[in-house]
Amino acid sequence: MALSNRIPLLFAKPGSRVKVISFEGGRGSMRRLFELGVVPGEELRVVFNNAGPIVVERSGTRIAIGRGLAARIIVEVIE
């Protein structure tokens, strides 16, 4: 049985590549993420995750996501 490598985006390490699996949150949060292009199936690279907002890169564009919202984004670590 394989171990799951699904975690909240909040715990992804800088430099890792992740794939968005799902969201946990209300309509406002989902709408905000959709507007940013952070949708299930999208691959992101974590650029910064030490303090303050988490910075991810999607298709060459860097996006800052607050830590509260990042805790609601479930991702799968690719590498």
Side-chain angles (χ1 to χ4, degrees):
M1 182 174 182
L3 294 175
S4 174
N5 55 354
R6 294 181 179 187
I7 58 173
L9 178 61
L10 181 64
F11 300 120
K13 294 179 180 176
S16 63
R17 285 187 43 225
V18 299
K19 181 177 181 180
V20 178
I21 301 299
S22 63
F23 306 120
E24 296 174 358
R27 294 176 79 186
S29 297
M30 291 179 68
R31 187 181 72 213
R32 176 71 179 136
L33 291 170
F34 184 77
E35 289 170 351
L36 293 171
V38 179
V39 296
E42 189 71 34
E43 290 187 15
L44 308 171
R45 186 174 67 88
V46 179
V47 177
F48 183 81
N49 184 7
N50 292 330
I54 295 173
V55 178
V56 296
E57 187 174 274
R58 181 188 65 83
S59 303
T61 302
R62 290 187 175 190
I63 302 166
I65 300 174
R67 299 187 79 75
L69 187 55
R72 298 177 183 165
I73 303 171
I74 305 302
V75 298
E76 182 178 285
V77 178
I78 298 172
E79 59 178 62

